[in-house]
Amino acid sequence: MFTSDGEARDCCARYVQKLGKLQAGELGRRQTSAEHALRNMGITFNVYGHADGREKVWPFDVLPRIIDGNEWTHVEAGLKQRIRALNLFLDDIYNEQDILHDKVIPEELLASAGTLRPQMRGFSPAKRVWCHISGVDLVRDADGTIYVLEDNLRCPSGVSYVLENREVMKRTFPQVFEGIAVRPVEEYSEQLLKTLLQCAPPGTIAPTAVVLTPGSYNSAYYEHTFLAQQMGIQLVQGSDLVVENGYVHMRTTQGLQRVDVIYRRIDDDFLDPKCFRKDSCLGVPGLIDVYRAGRVTLANAPGTGVADDKAIYAYVPEIIKYYLDEDAILQNVPTYVCSDDKHRQHVLANLDKLVVKPTNESGGYGILMGPQSTREEQAKYVDLINANPRNYIAQPMLNLSTVPTLVDERLQPRHVDLRPFVLCGEDIYVMPGGLTRVALTEGSMIVNSSQGGGSKDTWVMENKSDPQAQPAPQTISSEPSAPQVQSQSQS
């Protein structure tokens, strides 16, 4: 929002002027009002194993994060390029495997990925789209460069909070939008449904889509209910679905109804006990047989997790070059893959300078923050890495950018990241902005809400070069947009 000299950036100048006109204490009152709105709207999240209870009110900071529209154009192009390449990669590795034959990626690295699903070999989903919904975590380093921190291609969470953050801002602080051209985010649910239906099995007329949830005890159940409600489609559990006559059907009070597209929020392992984990009670027996026969679409496709393995992530620039013959628009954070002998030696010799991550964990768990770690913690990771090198990567510790955040009624700098959401069907749609997560503890780089992080509304400003860009009136829904149910923790 501000330059190093303390001046408001061009894209933030008008907003800063508005803040300057507020009466003393007004910002704190708006923050309190927003927190009351979140509680009344039932916007919460779950933390497993917390001493103070499982369900928490969603943490939200009333000061938005503002992104220049021209800069966003660059980010959007990079995200589209990345998702296009990763879809081609997934279709290749489950079929011809040209990228392995050409030795662009070590074959053993792929073969040892815990998220590789051999059951998907020889299969391509409708329109060859594997990752329909993606969340790509971005960070900005101190030099201003935006890096991709990681890809989330399985069941990325958090988009419901993007929509609710904007709603809460409009309800509790509407005057800050006046005269400012902020790109809207409300069309996401419509775009999501459009994407799902575009990828229905070929020849399907008036396809039926559903959201498949593991149930109310899942940490992301709030989001499942929210998205089903917003799209106007049924929220179902595995016990609501049955395979008969080669198709998937939904049990209804009027009998069985055929289902064509399933937006599944269940991990691969639990989708079908006949194909994956036999002890799963959450999935639908026989579902994968119907899927492989092309009679139902699963979004995202089983097996996409191999493309967001953190060791595979290190090769995404090469993947983009291989399939698109383009240089990556958005850069990766430099990454050391511990299964590589030279990389591993460097990591073990520099644990006090690096961030070490397990390749298949999420939510900020299992990470060693080298510069902040003790010798005992570093010794533990020496053993862990040597025992299973494939399971670890390491990256330099970036000096993440900060944004002003209201803490104890004062504006203080706090570190943030950003998770934009990308939809891929017949074309690719990128939601303007995304989920800004903020580390509320001074100096902390941990932004996960499950570990004390918060969130902000993310404003992408309209491009100045667009002659059509005008401040659009911000609508406020007349009905509470969130059901009074449990919620999720952020991964």
Side-chain angles (χ1 to χ4, degrees):
M1 188 176 291
F2 298 100
T3 66
S4 57
D5 297 329
E7 298 293 326
R9 298 184 186 279
D10 288 347
C11 63
C12 308
R14 192 151 190 169
Y15 175 75
V16 172
Q17 287 177 359
K18 287 177 175 289
L19 287 186
K21 294 178 181 178
L22 294 178
Q23 296 180 349
E26 180 65 16
L27 207 52
R29 288 191 287 275
R30 296 293 178 176
Q31 177 68 39
T32 301
S33 176
E35 291 169 357
H36 287 166
L38 288 160
R39 186 181 301 278
N40 292 335
M41 294 165 70
I43 304 173
T44 59
F45 71 107
N46 287 349
V47 179
Y48 296 132
H50 197 286
D52 296 331
R54 191 179 68 172
E55 191 172 3
K56 308 289 181 186
V57 175
W58 177 243
F60 174 73
D61 182 71
V62 75
L63 292 170
R65 178 189 193 172
I66 301 176
I67 300 174
D68 180 80
N70 292 312
E71 181 178 42
W72 183 254
T73 299
H74 173 78
V75 172
E76 184 177 19
L79 293 171
K80 288 182 175 180
Q81 179 197 54
R82 197 172 184 94
I83 297 305
R84 191 178 300 117
L86 289 174
N87 266 307
L88 291 169
F89 169 68
L90 285 162
D91 203 58
D92 184 22
I93 62 167
Y94 284 112
N95 289 280
E96 292 81 4
Q97 298 193 333
D98 290 336
I99 197 167
L100 299 183
H101 300 150
D102 291 335
K103 302 187 183 307
V104 176
I105 293 179
E107 187 168 355
E108 62 274 16
L109 195 68
L110 184 73
S112 58
T115 47
L116 184 70
R117 295 289 177 261
Q119 297 90 338
M120 294 298 108
R121 287 295 309 271
F123 174 78
S124 287
K127 301 187 187 302
R128 293 183 179 263
V129 175
W130 291 76
C131 39
H132 308 77
I133 303 106
S134 306
V136 182
D137 291 349
L138 305 177
V139 294
R140 187 196 299 275
D141 197 11
D143 64 0
T145 304
I146 293 178
Y147 291 95
V148 176
L149 186 63
E150 63 182 49
D151 303 291
N152 297 277
L153 306 180
R154 284 170 271 185
C155 302
S157 296
V159 73
S160 60
Y161 295 114
V162 179
L163 300 173
E164 295 290 31
N165 284 350
R166 178 62 54 84
E167 183 68 17
V168 168
M169 278 293 290
K170 290 189 297 185
R171 283 174 178 242
T172 60
F173 216 173
Q175 60 269 44
V176 294
F177 290 97
E178 294 174 2
I180 297 179
V182 181
R183 292 182 62 178
V185 297
E186 291 82 357
E187 67 173 0
Y188 177 83
S189 300
E190 180 183 345
Q191 291 288 345
L192 174 58
L193 181 59
K194 176 183 172 184
T195 298
L196 295 174
L197 298 183
Q198 282 177 347
C199 295
T204 307
I205 300 173
T208 296
V210 298
V211 177
L212 175 61
T213 175
S216 61
Y217 290 100
N218 183 268
S219 62
Y221 185 64
Y222 167 80
E223 180 151 298
H224 307 165
T225 61
F226 177 88
L227 292 175
Q229 180 193 56
Q230 293 290 306
M231 289 189 288
I233 64 177
Q234 293 293 323
L235 177 71
V236 300
Q237 295 182 236
S239 57
D240 298 319
L241 301 178
V242 61
V243 172
E244 279 198 11
N245 301 319
Y247 290 90
V248 178
H249 299 269
M250 169 173 50
R251 293 185 172 93
T252 76
T253 55
Q254 298 178 333
L256 296 180
Q257 179 183 352
R258 182 172 146 182
V259 172
D260 305 294
V261 183
I262 299 175
Y263 177 24
R264 54 95 173 198
R265 298 298 296 259
I266 295 178
D267 290 343
D268 289 355
D269 285 342
F270 300 97
L271 274 174
D272 180 354
K274 289 186 174 180
C275 185
F276 299 116
R277 282 185 55 159
K278 298 185 184 307
D279 60 344
S280 171
C281 298
L282 302 175
V284 184
L287 174 61
I288 296 301
D289 285 343
V290 180
Y291 178 62
R292 287 186 60 91
R295 294 171 182 155
V296 70
T297 293
L298 294 176
N300 289 343
T304 55
V306 69
D308 68 20
D309 180 291
K310 290 183 177 62
I312 300 295
Y313 153 92
Y315 290 86
V316 171
E318 286 82 0
I319 290 172
I320 291 172
K321 187 69 175 178
Y322 182 77
Y323 292 109
L324 304 180
D325 194 22
E326 298 172 2
D327 294 327
I329 297 173
L330 296 175
Q331 302 302 308
N332 272 16
V333 177
T335 301
Y336 301 96
V337 179
C338 291
S339 57
D340 181 286
D341 291 342
K342 290 185 178 178
H343 285 201
R344 183 170 65 256
Q345 290 171 14
H346 177 81
V347 171
L348 293 175
N350 294 278
L351 280 176
D352 60 332
K353 304 179 183 68
L354 299 171
V355 178
V356 179
K357 301 178 180 179
T359 54
N360 276 309
E361 291 285 346
S362 60
Y365 295 103
I367 292 178
L368 175 73
M369 307 290 282
Q372 302 169 3
S373 63
T374 64
R375 290 187 179 278
E376 290 74 18
E377 290 170 330
Q378 293 168 24
K380 174 186 172 185
Y381 272 78
V382 169
D383 293 339
L384 289 171
I385 292 171
N386 282 327
N388 186 2
R390 172 61 177 81
N391 198 42
Y392 291 92
I393 58 129
Q395 297 169 330
M397 190 158 180
L398 300 183
N399 187 15
L400 300 186
S401 62
T402 61
V403 296
T405 302
L406 191 63
V407 179
D408 297 330
E409 300 193 358
R410 293 176 52 222
L411 299 188
Q412 300 187 32
R414 290 292 185 268
H415 296 290
V416 293
D417 76 352
L418 178 66
R419 176 176 291 182
F421 290 89
V422 186
L423 302 176
C424 182
E426 292 179 351
D427 49 19
I428 298 179
Y429 164 84
V430 180
M431 179 189 220
L435 181 64
T436 290
R437 301 183 297 181
V438 53
L440 295 176
T441 302
E442 185 176 7
S444 173
M445 300 284 184
I446 303 296
V447 298
N448 307 80
S449 57
S450 57
Q451 299 193 51
S455 72
K456 288 173 169 287
D457 189 14
T458 308
W459 291 7
V460 174
M461 312 305 287
E462 295 285 3
N463 286 332
K464 289 181 179 179
S465 57
D466 183 358
Q468 303 299 318
Q470 296 291 332
Q474 298 288 326
T475 58
I476 302 175
S477 65
S478 57
E479 298 294 332
S481 54
Q484 302 292 315
V485 292
Q486 300 168 20
S487 176
Q488 68 180 49
S489 61
Q490 289 300 305
S491 62

